[in-house]
Amino acid sequence: MTETPLLLDGTATARVIRAEVEARVRHLKEVYGVTPGLAAVLAGDNPASVTYVRMKRRACEKAGITSTAREFGSDATQEQILEAVHELNADRGVHGVLVQHPLPKGLDESEVLAAVDPNKDVDGIGRGSLGDLVKGEAVFVACTPAGMVELLDRYRLPIEGKHAVVIGRSVILGKPMALLLLNRNATVTICHSKTHNLAEITRQADILVAAVGRAEMVTGDMLKPGAVVLDAGYNRVPGRDQDVGDCDYESCSRVASAITPVPGGVGPMTIAVLLANTVTAAERRVGFGKPGAG
Ligand code: NAP
């Protein structure tokens, strides 16, 4: 492929989703007198986490969703965090509970995520949501993978029958992405740090998902001509003004038929899905809502 690839514009697509979310929020308020609410639990001073929570809260406020945060220092105890989660589970004004990942070292993140009420698990990474995803019945799917699939759908890029290669197997990103694609009848290969001959495998991908956290690791020569490339990576590189993805955009865009830029690709979709999931949680509470997507 030498012609310019289709740019999968996450900023523009997220704007459309956010407008849909705003309409659903208005409906909930007008018909049911309910204002959707999202509560974040933040522990420690990881600058990326602080920024993400701030961005999510701002996006909520713009969409008409109430946003609160329980903030703890790096010395927070497991009991304090669990108590906050239990209080938010019981709070009728809160429809979604988000535990910002990663929690400081020494805290048992798995136990905290498991404590989130499954009906409020808008981040989709609690045990119940992940189990439902395995069964193809998830209501809430982890926001970044769900955002990537939404992007494919909105651009009408087919998934069924395609060979999808996912690089990365984290619980928040790689694994749920692989399951979502499998549930949509893709043939899925998952690669990770112990995978041998990575490029041989990525060259077979009709859909290539990079979810690694290594700046520009995927280069154009690792792609099949015409591949659809979804780059979830977000990497700070010393001396560069802008964060970069896991894919080398320049060389990949010479080979791909469609590609997400960084920034402006997968990132904005993540927050849009979080807002949509929060509204879904509120809709389910009042007795309606979409069936599981995952
Ligand atoms: P993570 O938990 O560190 O997982 C990284 C995965 O990449 C692991 O499965 C690891 O394999 C694999 N990996 C590492 N080096 C590799 C190599 N050389 N070859 C093949 N696989 C390799 O990271 P994450 O939380 O999934 O995040 C991945 C990226 O997405 C990061 O850049 C992060 O900033 C970004 N991200 C973006 C958003 C967004 O909203 N856009 C949200 C979350 C994360 P092992 O399992 O073998 O260690």
Side-chain angles (χ1 to χ4, degrees):
M1 297 282 295
T2 44
E3 65 252 53
T4 314
L6 174 66
L7 187 81
L8 303 176
D9 186 339
T11 305
T13 309
R15 201 176 299 127
V16 172
I17 295 172
R18 282 154 81 141
E20 293 164 3
V21 164
E22 284 171 30
R24 290 165 65 192
V25 170
R26 275 197 302 276
H27 182 73
L28 274 169
K29 284 184 187 169
E30 285 165 16
V31 178
Y32 297 93
V34 168
T35 301
L38 176 71
V41 176
L42 172 66
D45 52 8
N46 178 326
S49 295
V50 172
T51 304
Y52 287 145
V53 168
R54 197 182 307 134
M55 283 165 62
K56 289 167 186 173
R57 295 197 63 187
R58 205 174 298 143
C60 278
E61 280 150 21
K62 272 190 172 170
I65 296 171
T66 306
S67 151
T68 53
R70 294 287 184 91
E71 296 185 21
F72 298 88
S74 313
D75 55 353
T77 64
Q78 185 78 5
E79 290 67 34
Q80 284 173 317
I81 304 286
L82 284 172
E83 194 184 331
V85 170
H86 291 311
E87 282 171 14
L88 295 171
N89 284 345
D91 187 336
R92 297 282 301 166
V94 171
H95 301 89
V97 176
L98 161 89
V99 178
Q100 185 59 46
H101 156 95
L103 289 176
K105 280 201 175 72
L107 295 179
D108 182 347
E109 191 168 281
S110 186
E111 186 189 27
V112 173
L113 291 174
V116 174
D117 178 345
N119 292 310
K120 297 189 178 188
D121 182 22
V122 291
D123 227 8
I125 51 175
R127 283 176 196 156
S129 300
L130 289 171
D132 287 344
L133 181 60
V134 171
K135 291 188 281 177
E137 297 169 0
V139 173
F140 302 118
V141 178
C143 300
T144 305
M148 286 194 271
V149 170
E150 190 70 33
L151 204 48
L152 292 177
D153 286 345
R154 300 257 172 171
Y155 278 91
R156 298 182 187 280
L157 293 169
I159 298 173
E160 183 165 309
K162 300 294 179 189
H163 184 190
V165 174
V166 180
I167 320 177
R169 57 175 167 179
S170 72
V171 171
I172 62 158
L173 227 172
K175 276 182 191 161
M177 185 63 188
L179 285 166
L180 271 179
L181 293 166
L182 180 63
N183 292 348
R184 292 284 299 273
N185 296 322
T187 301
V188 183
T189 305
I190 307 174
C191 301
H192 45 78
S193 68
K194 306 289 187 288
T195 297
H196 293 173
N197 305 323
L198 181 68
E200 262 176 42
I201 299 167
T202 57
R203 272 187 219 116
Q204 296 169 31
D206 302 308
I207 300 171
L208 189 279
V209 180
V212 187
R214 282 173 172 255
E216 299 175 332
M217 181 190 112
V218 177
T219 46
D221 59 324
M222 295 169 70
L223 298 180
K224 175 176 172 176
V228 172
V229 176
L230 300 169
D231 186 353
Y234 218 75
N235 308 289
R236 184 132 302 171
V237 177
R240 301 268 288 266
D241 298 343
Q242 206 159 264
D243 291 342
V244 301
D246 289 343
C247 297
D248 171 38
Y249 186 82
E250 206 188 308
S251 62
C252 287
S253 61
R254 275 189 247 123
V255 184
S257 63
I259 187 166
T260 54
V262 177
V266 173
M269 293 298 291
T270 300
I271 294 191
V273 170
L274 177 68
L275 300 179
N277 281 353
T278 304
V279 177
T280 298
E283 289 171 345
R284 283 162 55 81
R285 175 93 66 76
V286 299
F288 74 99
K290 290 194 282 185

